[in-house]
Amino acid sequence: MINIKRPAITIVIGMVAGIIAGLYPKWGVATIAIVLLILLFQFIKNKRKNFFFLMKRKRTIQILFISLIISNLYFNFINQRFEKSYTKIPEKLNQNATVISEASETDYYYAYNVKIKNKKFILYVKKNSSPKLQYGMYINIEGTYSKPEEARNFKGFDYKEYLKTKKIYGSIKSQKVQVLKNMNVNIFLKCSNAIRNKIIKTTLALLSGDEGNLVTGILIGEKSDISEEITSNFSKASISHILAISGTHVSYIVIGITYILAKSKTPKRLSNIITMLMLFVFMFITGFTPSVVRASIMGIIMLFAKVIYRKSDTLNSIAVSLIIILTLNPFAINDVGLQLSYLGTIGIVILNKRVEKFLNKYMCNKISTMLSITISAQIMVFPITLLKFNVITPWFFIANIIAVPLAGGIIFLGYITLLSTIIIHPVGIVLSKILKILVLILINIAKYIAKLPFSSIYTITPSVILSIEYYFAVLCIARNMKTKKVILLVLVTAMVCTAVNFYPKKFTVHLVDVGQRRLYINKNT
């Protein structure tokens, strides 16, 4: 299951195991035990060539455990830095800071992300106390610091751990804010933010209301102003992933830039380098969300392979992008968006051909091709949706077979419309009318499917053991292992997980804190 020809995959398996061991010690032990069982299984399988097997896999095993140990130490170092900061930051603050996000609005406050001495905080400013702040402003803050609250109820929302996934150290409620300088960020960040604001402003000028907000969400991931009704309908129809920047966006960007550069007779290698730089800009514009980073880094790796005349490897590219994200912030592994993005992509890579082959027996090739991608992704994200959202959406295949191609058209036409509006404004106006029709169709598809019977079936939270068994079985099947071996490995995995979960046995009483207030989560984080 671990291939020395794909060292990034070996490293990322070790990294994930090490981080899990830091976050959840019991499950970290289980993860390490399962990895050892896999290696033992491979060893037994090759019992007639034991010496050869060990020599062949020696470097892989070394890389695996070195990355596991290093990532665990690194995770604990980062965690300690957070914990020390919570105690060292004074309650009453008087600090200079840089605003690194646009405003997010609540009933009484504007909320901003600010950076103080390379640490990110959420700043709350009363609406009537001072002028609205802008991205890049250098300000002086007088206010009260609050460290993030932990979950006070059993399996409740842990705001502290959530903010760690965003590298945020807490919130500041300001009493006084003074603007010292209008721009305190480098020219690259200034330009990328200006492009982002221009896209939002142009889109909302062409398409007002829900349509405009939805298009900005689809094109650059700006979802803060999308109405709750649309968000809820998309969720019930199981097409929320349309609002996440993905490989589709990156593909259209690469195709568009490559086409323009080809028409200008730019050399291919230079064209690939320029496209790589534009993908870096795209990551800044969209706020470095996990799905953006994954798709963009994969695109950059594949373009770089062309520059140096090498063949790219999809799974290795996925692993490299995850290594980069976890190196920047190991707590990102708890981000639901990251989990869904990576698992969905892995599902498409390892299961798509098998699912498509099965569907070809019952339907035409075009439908089976579209449907197999959706089903492959859903197979891998299924346990996560149950663990995190406790909901099953049975009509996902109908919604996706209609909505995904439509969303692809909206992405393509959206970028063309924005470009046309800047170059030839009347053409952009005409295209925006077509774009509006497509968006309204998408909204109504989600609305109709959300109203179908059993559009959302709520479930209890499954056990982690069951989820691990599920993924282990899927991976075994993907590798064409025989049924007996799959059953044996799943049973052994279940035994290991069960032993870790129930030892030592303790009687625990959980008291419900009914006074725990609902916390506001900044949408720009």
Side-chain angles (χ1 to χ4, degrees):
M1 299 189 90
I2 302 168
N3 193 342
I4 191 63
K5 293 179 182 178
R6 291 169 169 172
I9 297 175
T10 308
I11 293 168
V12 84
I13 290 171
M15 282 188 75
V16 170
I19 293 169
I20 290 173
L23 278 168
Y24 315 104
K26 287 195 302 183
W27 294 113
V29 171
T31 305
I32 294 167
I34 290 167
V35 172
L36 287 171
L37 280 170
I38 294 169
L39 293 172
L40 179 62
F41 172 76
Q42 292 283 352
F43 182 80
I44 295 169
K45 185 180 174 183
N46 295 270
K47 58 186 177 181
R48 296 180 182 177
K49 312 172 191 177
N50 283 340
F51 181 77
F52 173 74
F53 170 75
L54 286 173
M55 291 300 102
K56 185 180 178 182
R57 303 290 178 177
K58 181 179 178 182
R59 188 175 295 177
T60 303
I61 295 168
Q62 288 173 343
I63 292 171
L64 180 69
F65 283 98
I66 288 170
S67 64
L68 188 153
I69 293 165
I70 291 174
S71 64
N72 185 261
L73 292 172
Y74 178 63
F75 169 83
N76 285 305
F77 169 75
I78 299 295
N79 192 41
Q80 284 299 314
R81 191 167 68 179
F82 271 103
E83 296 300 328
K84 285 180 181 178
S85 296
Y86 295 144
T87 57
K88 286 184 177 180
I89 299 171
E91 186 178 350
K92 296 295 181 182
L93 278 177
N94 188 340
Q95 293 281 348
N96 294 340
T98 302
V99 181
I100 57 172
S101 77
E102 299 295 339
S104 180
E105 193 171 347
T106 67
D107 292 336
Y108 303 104
Y109 292 92
Y110 287 121
Y112 307 87
N113 287 348
V114 298
K115 185 172 282 188
I116 302 174
K117 296 178 180 178
N118 293 320
K119 289 184 173 68
K120 284 169 65 177
F121 298 85
I122 300 173
L123 173 66
Y124 294 103
V125 181
K126 284 186 178 179
K127 289 183 177 180
N128 57 0
S129 65
S130 62
K132 196 172 180 180
L133 302 177
Q134 301 295 327
Y135 177 88
M137 281 183 170
Y138 190 55
I139 59 176
N140 177 263
I141 304 168
E142 290 182 24
T144 306
Y145 166 75
S146 299
K147 71 176 183 178
E149 291 189 17
E150 298 179 11
R152 298 207 300 267
N153 289 322
F154 179 62
K155 291 190 177 181
F157 177 68
D158 196 321
Y159 191 52
K160 183 179 179 181
E161 293 302 313
Y162 168 79
L163 289 187
K164 283 181 180 179
T165 67
K166 311 297 179 185
K167 299 177 75 172
I168 294 175
Y169 286 78
S171 60
I172 301 169
K173 191 171 285 187
S174 67
Q175 275 83 51
K176 182 181 177 183
V177 176
Q178 181 183 359
V179 179
L180 304 176
K181 193 191 298 185
N182 280 328
M183 189 54 64
N184 191 49
V185 292
N186 61 54
I187 189 68
F188 185 78
L189 290 174
K190 180 181 177 181
C191 289
S192 62
N193 186 68
I195 294 169
R196 179 183 178 86
N197 289 336
K198 179 68 175 177
I199 291 171
I200 294 171
K201 185 178 179 181
T202 305
T203 304
L204 294 179
L206 294 170
L207 302 166
S208 58
D210 287 340
E211 296 86 12
N213 292 329
L214 183 59
V215 171
T216 57
I218 292 173
L219 294 184
I220 60 170
E222 179 53 59
K223 296 176 280 189
S224 58
D225 293 323
I226 299 175
S227 68
E228 288 187 14
E229 181 185 359
I230 290 176
T231 304
S232 175
N233 288 339
F234 272 54
S235 177
K236 289 177 181 178
S238 195
I239 55 172
S240 296
H241 58 87
I242 287 173
L243 299 176
I245 309 297
S246 64
T248 307
H249 298 71
V250 172
S251 298
Y252 283 131
I253 290 169
V254 171
I255 291 168
I257 295 171
T258 304
Y259 177 78
I260 293 169
L261 293 174
K263 286 294 181 182
S264 63
K265 297 182 180 180
T266 305
K268 283 188 177 180
R269 292 186 74 183
L270 180 59
S271 173
N272 288 331
I273 292 169
I274 293 170
T275 307
M276 287 162 61
L277 292 174
M278 292 306 296
L279 288 179
F280 275 113
V281 174
F282 184 66
M283 283 193 282
F284 276 93
I285 291 171
T286 51
F288 286 95
T289 58
S291 58
V292 174
V293 174
R294 174 195 56 74
S296 298
I297 290 177
M298 285 179 63
I300 289 166
I301 291 170
M302 290 176 182
L303 288 167
F304 183 70
K306 291 182 180 179
V307 171
I308 60 174
Y309 303 110
R310 295 285 297 273
K311 187 178 179 181
S312 61
D313 183 293
T314 304
L315 284 174
N316 224 37
S317 300
I318 293 171
V320 169
S321 65
L322 186 55
I323 289 169
I324 292 170
I325 291 173
L326 295 180
T327 301
L328 292 173
N329 182 16
F331 284 96
I333 201 169
N334 268 338
D335 187 278
V336 179
L338 179 141
Q339 294 168 7
L340 295 174
S341 174
Y342 275 90
L343 286 171
T345 305
I346 291 168
I348 293 168
V349 173
I350 67 174
L351 297 173
N352 184 47
K353 288 183 179 178
R354 183 180 291 274
V355 173
E356 186 178 356
K357 186 179 178 181
F358 174 79
L359 294 176
N360 279 336
K361 298 175 183 177
Y362 305 99
M363 58 187 70
C364 66
N365 289 342
K366 288 185 179 180
I367 295 176
S368 65
T369 300
M370 285 191 295
L371 201 55
S372 65
I373 293 172
T374 299
I375 293 174
S376 300
Q378 288 291 331
I379 287 171
M380 288 300 284
V381 303
F382 180 67
I384 298 297
T385 56
L386 292 185
L387 283 167
K388 302 295 183 180
F389 308 113
N390 299 98
V391 65
I392 298 172
T393 50
W395 304 113
F396 75 89
F397 56 92
I398 296 176
N400 281 272
I401 201 169
I402 303 170
V404 170
L406 186 59
I410 291 171
I411 294 167
F412 181 74
L413 185 59
Y415 288 137
I416 296 295
T417 302
L418 289 172
L419 190 62
S420 300
T421 305
I422 296 168
I423 299 172
I424 310 172
H425 189 72
V427 175
I429 296 294
V430 173
L431 292 176
S432 69
K433 303 297 182 184
I434 303 170
L435 183 61
K436 184 174 182 178
I437 294 170
L438 295 180
V439 173
L440 286 172
I441 293 170
L442 181 62
I443 290 172
N444 283 299
I445 287 170
K447 186 177 180 181
Y448 175 75
I449 292 175
K451 289 182 178 179
L452 289 175
F454 309 109
S455 60
S456 296
I457 301 172
Y458 294 95
T459 68
I460 61 170
T461 304
S463 68
V464 178
I465 297 172
L466 190 62
S467 301
I468 292 173
E469 291 174 18
Y470 175 91
Y471 281 122
F472 207 67
V474 169
L475 291 174
C476 289
I477 292 167
R479 287 183 58 85
N480 295 319
M481 293 180 69
K482 292 180 180 179
T483 307
K484 290 182 180 179
K485 291 180 180 178
V486 173
I487 293 170
L488 177 63
L489 287 173
V490 169
L491 286 173
V492 173
T493 305
M495 289 170 62
V496 171
C497 293
T498 304
V500 171
N501 190 40
F502 291 104
Y503 179 81
K505 289 184 178 180
K506 292 181 179 179
F507 178 74
T508 308
V509 177
H510 298 286
L511 301 176
V512 178
D513 182 358
V514 294
Q516 185 171 19
R517 63 187 177 89
R518 191 178 175 185
L519 290 166
Y520 167 73
I521 300 172
N522 181 12
K523 292 178 181 177
N524 285 330
T525 59

